[in-house]
Amino acid sequence: MNIGQAARASGVSAKMIRYYEQIGLVRPAERTDSNYRSFDEKNVNELRFIKRARNLGFSVEEITNLLSLWRDRARPSREVKAIAEDHVAELEGRIAEMQAMADTLRHLSGCCAGDDRPDCPILMDLAAGDPRPAGTGRRTAKGRFGG
């Protein structure tokens, strides 16, 4: 099948297929005599694998490792599990950071009157430029602790 057909069958755009080839994530597709890419079912399965892994938030480096393990039928599953567990820990850390940001913004919104006056604790907090992550006990514009 050509790249358009492989894209439809895998759910990965032709542009991304070309990119994955360029960065070495997938092996370059075979070429026809007229130099068009030619994909088979194995290529499409790899593209589906990559799409699913991307949807789960794995990095290109992690996907490279997972693909290598997937292709190796003699692989120990503990290596795959370790990659997955590391990724879960990373996701949970990002979730905690985002929750702290939401908590801080919720608190700042609660401090803002939201009326016709120009005073705004949200803008004052942003202007303070505190580089610490949201939710780490930073003071808000009204002197209260956020997060």
Side-chain angles (χ1 to χ4, degrees):
M1 62 184 85
N2 65 33
I3 195 167
Q5 293 165 325
R8 282 188 292 283
S10 67
V12 176
S13 72
K15 182 178 180 179
M16 288 306 295
I17 294 171
R18 287 185 202 96
Y19 172 70
Y20 292 154
E21 277 187 359
Q22 180 185 350
I23 65 171
L25 187 57
V26 295
R27 298 176 187 125
E30 297 292 321
R31 295 285 183 151
T32 65
D33 291 337
S34 54
N35 206 30
Y36 288 103
R37 288 174 176 87
S38 178
F39 296 86
D40 59 19
E41 196 59 35
K42 181 180 177 187
N43 301 126
V44 171
N45 285 337
E46 287 186 357
L47 292 168
R48 287 181 185 136
F49 182 100
I50 292 167
K51 180 177 179 158
R52 178 66 176 144
R54 291 296 290 163
N55 286 342
L56 290 172
F58 285 103
S59 69
V60 170
E61 181 182 342
E62 290 167 326
I63 294 171
T64 300
N65 293 336
L66 289 168
L67 268 172
S68 176
L69 290 165
W70 183 52
R71 291 173 182 143
D72 177 7
R73 299 291 182 204
R75 75 202 164 249
S77 63
R78 73 179 156 275
E79 291 180 33
V80 179
K81 184 175 181 173
I83 293 169
E85 288 177 340
D86 288 347
H87 186 61
V88 168
E90 180 186 331
L91 288 172
E92 288 173 341
R94 288 177 19 207
I95 290 167
E97 288 174 5
M98 292 178 80
Q99 187 60 56
M101 286 187 267
D103 291 346
T104 298
L105 287 170
R106 192 175 297 108
H107 174 76
L108 289 169
S109 284
C111 293
C112 182
D115 55 18
D116 291 333
R117 294 180 298 162
D119 296 338
C120 181
I122 301 167
L123 294 177
M124 290 172 65
D125 183 84
L126 293 172
D130 190 342
R132 288 181 289 165
T136 58
R138 56 192 254 187
R139 286 193 182 270
T140 66
K142 290 194 174 185
R144 299 186 187 110
F145 283 98

